[in-house]
């Protein structure tokens, strides 16, 4: 059984047909068909249900897929282990919660130093990104603490202050001046989907304030959330550094929230048992350098 047979098998699984897999791999279709038939003879079982719409895995095929994914990860790790550290070439798949404030500084520093490394980014809420790291779908991800998963390494990246944000027009129409965040808790909340740590902090705070079943509107992007808040439809919890631009433009008001829920740390997580290649090791090094630089400027 050859590694290339497994690679062809994985491509057929991904694209659902021999013709599409052949096109993506640069093979002629009969060659891919022959390699799949040869693999099935070596395994001793058919691997696909074949039908007019294409091919789907059967039980034996799903079993081989598990081993195939492990083999492809191992081949990737072998390639990473022998990279020229003076001229890195490769790729990194990084996840990040949309509210990571300092990420542009990290990515620009890394790109300026290693221009031949391709970085693909995927945004999401913390729980989704952690799941993808555990499934080897991401090399690592920037997520919010707490991360209670023992098989993940955690590298501190950023510390954020969370504030409650409302429209700058909240005091209009004869309403009294708002003095504290608690006065806004009766308004609808504009939040990210379940799994966002801002949302979890809010739920803990509301429980302490004995506020049950608040009205929540969910949106997927920071721009949509802030635009909705600016329009006066509700309030949100967000990092102060993200909201300050809107405050300077006179669009929103910011209010501190109680101490237990105010501070949030963003960490970079990766699987402890996965090989740490040079490309990712240098990425983590820059995370630490940027964090140290921010701490020095703060102090």
């Amino acid at each position: 059984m050859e590694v290339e047979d497994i690679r062809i098998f994985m491509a057929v699984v991904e694209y659902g047909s021999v013709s599409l897999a052949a096109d993506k791999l640069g093979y002629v279709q009969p060659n891919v068909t022959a390699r799949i038939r040869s693999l099935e003879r070596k395994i001793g079982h058919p691997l696909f249900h074949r039908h007019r719409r294409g091919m789907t895995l059967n039980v034996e095929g799903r079993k081989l897929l598990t081993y195939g994914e492990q083999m492809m990860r191992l081949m990737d790790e072998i390639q990473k282990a022998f990279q020229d550290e003076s001229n890195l070439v490769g790729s990194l798949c990084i996840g990040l919660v949309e509210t990571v404030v300092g990420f542009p500084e990290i990515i620009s520093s890394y790109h300026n130093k290693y221009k031949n490394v391709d970085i693909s980014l995927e945004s999401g809420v913390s729980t989704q990104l952690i799941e993808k790291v555990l499934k080897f779908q991401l090399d690592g991800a920037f997520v919010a603490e707490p991360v209670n998963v023992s098989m993940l390494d955690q590298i501190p990246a950023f510390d954020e202050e969370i504030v409650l944000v409302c429209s700058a027009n909240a005091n209009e129409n004869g309403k009294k001046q708002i003095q504290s965040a608690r006065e806004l808790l009766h308004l609808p909340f504009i939040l990210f989907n379940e799994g966002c740590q801002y949302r979890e902090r809010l739920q803990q705070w509301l429980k302490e304030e004995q506020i049950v079943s608040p009205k929540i509107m969910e949106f997927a992007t920071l721009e949509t959330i802030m635009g909705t808040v600016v329009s006066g439809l509700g309030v949100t919890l967000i990092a102060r550094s993200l909201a300050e631009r809107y405050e300077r433009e006179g669009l929103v008001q910011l209010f501190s929230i109680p101490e237990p829920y105010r501070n949030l740390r963003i960490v970079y997580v990766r699987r402890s048992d996965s090989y740490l290649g040079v490309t990712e090791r240098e990425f983590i090094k820059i995370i630490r350098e940027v964090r140290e630089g921010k701490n020095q400027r703060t102090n």
Side-chain angles (χ1 to χ4, degrees):
M1 187 183 305
E2 300 178 13
V3 172
E4 187 63 13
D5 291 339
I6 301 299
R7 190 168 79 92
I8 290 172
F9 164 76
M10 301 289 284
V12 173
V13 173
E14 180 178 359
Y15 298 109
S17 79
V18 169
S19 59
L20 286 176
D23 183 60
K24 295 294 182 180
L25 294 174
Y27 285 113
V28 295
Q29 183 172 335
N31 192 356
V32 172
T33 299
R35 297 291 286 265
I36 293 295
R37 294 291 188 186
S38 173
L39 182 60
E40 289 178 321
R41 286 195 299 270
K42 292 172 183 176
I43 294 292
H45 298 278
L47 301 171
F48 294 92
H49 296 296
R50 291 167 170 84
H51 45 78
R52 283 183 295 179
R53 292 191 302 258
M55 302 168 66
T56 55
L57 287 175
N58 61 20
V59 174
E60 299 299 331
R62 290 194 294 272
K63 186 189 302 182
L64 181 60
L65 178 63
T66 300
Y67 289 107
E69 290 172 341
Q70 295 174 8
M71 288 179 65
M72 292 300 102
R73 283 198 301 269
L74 182 58
M75 295 301 296
D76 183 55
E77 289 184 3
I78 290 172
Q79 184 177 6
K80 290 178 180 178
F82 293 95
Q83 287 181 345
D84 179 2
E85 296 191 22
S86 64
N87 184 29
L88 292 187
V89 177
S91 63
L92 282 174
C93 298
I94 304 297
L96 68 158
V97 288
E98 190 163 337
T99 55
V100 174
V101 178
F103 182 73
E105 184 176 353
I106 290 174
I107 200 69
S108 62
S109 297
Y110 188 83
H111 178 70
N112 289 336
K113 193 171 183 180
Y114 303 112
K115 291 182 170 58
N116 293 323
V117 177
D118 295 324
I119 299 182
S120 59
L121 303 176
E122 180 173 335
S123 63
V125 296
S126 292
T127 53
Q128 295 171 346
L129 297 175
I130 288 171
E131 185 67 21
K132 291 196 172 187
V133 172
L134 292 173
K135 291 181 177 179
F136 295 98
Q137 295 171 351
L138 293 171
D139 293 310
F142 291 92
V143 300
E145 284 189 330
V147 180
N148 300 314
V149 182
S150 60
M151 62 193 306
L152 291 178
D153 289 334
Q154 301 181 41
I155 296 91
F158 309 104
D159 295 309
E160 300 179 348
E161 179 194 354
I162 304 173
V163 294
L164 190 66
V165 184
C166 73
S167 170
N169 299 324
N171 295 321
E172 292 183 354
N173 301 322
K175 296 180 181 178
K176 68 176 183 179
Q177 184 73 25
I178 298 172
Q179 300 296 326
S180 71
R182 285 187 175 86
E183 297 177 44
L184 299 168
L185 296 184
H186 66 285
L187 296 175
F189 288 93
I190 318 297
L191 302 170
F192 287 105
N193 298 331
E194 288 283 356
C196 170
Q197 282 295 335
Y198 293 156
R199 183 167 179 160
E200 292 187 16
R201 295 293 179 94
L202 173 65
Q203 289 170 339
Q204 294 169 5
W205 181 22
L206 294 179
K207 183 178 180 180
E208 180 184 298
E209 297 290 336
Q210 298 183 339
I211 296 176
V212 181
S213 301
K215 183 177 180 180
I216 294 177
M217 292 185 279
E218 296 182 353
F219 294 101
T221 67
L222 176 63
E223 289 79 8
T224 305
I225 288 175
M226 292 304 297
T228 306
V229 170
V230 168
S231 69
L233 294 181
V235 298
T236 192
L237 281 185
I238 206 72
R240 178 180 289 277
S241 53
L242 289 172
E244 283 176 334
R245 173 174 67 85
Y246 295 87
E247 183 186 38
R248 288 193 298 270
E249 294 174 0
L251 299 173
V252 299
Q253 301 176 71
L254 311 185
F255 295 91
S256 296
I257 66 175
E259 184 66 37
Y261 318 110
R262 184 182 305 171
N263 299 309
L264 185 68
R265 172 167 290 179
I266 300 296
V267 295
Y268 178 78
V269 298
R270 63 178 307 278
R271 281 191 64 125
S272 306
D273 59 349
S274 66
Y275 177 78
L276 180 60
V278 183
T279 52
E280 190 179 9
R281 188 167 72 236
E282 290 300 305
F283 187 74
I284 291 172
K285 180 179 178 182
I286 287 179
I287 292 173
R288 289 176 169 143
E289 289 174 353
V290 170
R291 177 175 173 80
E292 183 178 347
K294 285 184 177 295
N295 289 340
Q296 290 175 352
R297 291 193 294 271
T298 301
N299 296 332

